[in-house]
Amino acid sequence: MSSETVESQENSPDLATLIALFYPNCRELGRFEAVEADQMPENARLLLAHDAHMTVTVEAYHNCKVRVEVLDRLRKEPHYSRRILLRRSTDSAVVLFGIVRLDMRAIPQPALEAILSESIPLGQTLIDNNVLRRVELCHLWKIQVGPDLARWVDVPEGETIYGRTAMIHVDHQPAIELLEIVTT
C-alpha cells in the first residue's frame, strides 16, 4: 500500500490506520490498490460499489442470513474496534472479512450494548435499533491476499479479491469506519 493509493477525503476512513489496529505490517493482510467500480469483476462490484449495509447486501447476494464471528477486539476510549468475519448461516462459509472502528460516543446506548455483545452483525444491529444512519462508500480496493487474510477467507495467498472502505454516519456525524473485504 502506498500513499498514492489512498485518496484524501474528509471524514474518510484511513486504510492504513484501520489495518494498523490489528496488523503491525499491512502486508500480512494484503497489498491494496485503489480501483474504480468499472475495474472490478461484476460480482465484486455488486457486493461493494454501493451505499448500503454489507450485512443486507451479502444476505441478499447469498440468499441466506449471515452471522458474525469476532476474531479480535480493541477498546481504547472513545473507540471500539473489531476484526470480524461474516459467515453464511447455511454452511458457515466466510463471505466477508472486516475491520470496524466506531466512536462509542456516537452510538445510542441500546445499539451500543448490542454491538458490544458481539452476537449480531453491525449493520443488522443498527437497523434493529432504528439508528439514524447513512452508509457512505469511500474507496474501492483491489487486494492481493496476504498470509493472514488467506487464512481467514480460504483464498490462496497472492490471489486477487476486492474490498471497500466506508463510513457510517450516525445522526449526520461520521461514527463508524469500515474496511470490508468480500469473497465471491
Side-chain angles (χ1 to χ4, degrees):
M1 176 179 53
S2 68
S3 60
E4 301 86 47
T5 63
V6 181
E7 299 174 28
S8 176
Q9 185 174 335
E10 191 166 331
N11 296 324
S12 178
D14 179 71
L15 178 65
T17 300
L18 285 174
I19 293 171
L21 291 168
F22 298 100
Y23 296 93
N25 178 347
C26 72
R27 299 273 192 235
E28 284 295 305
L29 190 59
R31 294 176 188 242
F32 291 73
E33 177 186 344
V35 294
E36 298 297 324
D38 63 2
Q39 298 172 301
M40 301 169 73
E42 181 181 0
N43 288 344
R45 188 172 52 249
L46 288 170
L47 284 165
L48 295 164
H50 55 80
D51 291 317
H53 285 289
M54 287 301 294
T55 305
V56 173
T57 302
V58 295
E59 286 180 345
Y61 182 85
H62 292 282
N63 198 30
C64 67
K65 291 287 190 188
V66 295
R67 61 179 174 81
V68 65
E69 177 181 339
V70 177
L71 303 173
D72 202 0
R73 79 227 7 102
L74 297 169
R75 193 166 175 172
K76 186 175 179 182
E77 298 293 335
H79 294 103
Y80 165 75
S81 305
R82 66 187 187 193
R83 185 170 58 117
I84 63 104
L85 301 174
L86 291 183
R87 294 182 178 273
R88 286 193 301 233
S89 60
T90 54
D91 61 3
S92 293
V94 173
V95 296
L96 182 140
F97 172 93
I99 295 176
V100 177
R101 181 169 73 166
L102 62 88
D103 183 336
M104 293 185 288
R105 300 168 299 185
I107 311 299
Q109 195 60 36
L112 181 60
E113 288 173 12
I115 291 166
L116 295 175
S117 79
E118 301 181 345
S119 60
I120 301 169
L122 176 69
Q124 192 61 53
T125 300
L126 296 173
I127 292 166
D128 290 350
N129 283 275
N130 296 312
V131 173
L132 177 62
R133 71 211 171 275
R134 178 178 60 86
V135 180
E136 174 190 6
L137 169 63
C138 296
H139 302 288
L140 296 168
W141 302 99
K142 178 179 177 181
I143 304 156
Q144 185 181 10
V145 174
D148 194 65
L149 184 57
R151 176 177 138 209
W152 294 115
V153 299
D154 197 28
V155 170
E157 189 174 337
E159 189 164 310
T160 297
I161 61 177
Y162 294 85
R164 75 179 192 170
T165 46
M167 178 71 75
I168 299 177
H169 299 260
V170 174
D171 288 330
H172 309 290
Q173 298 298 317
I176 304 170
E177 301 166 274
L178 305 161
L179 168 61
E180 300 164 313
I181 301 169
V182 295
T183 62
T184 54

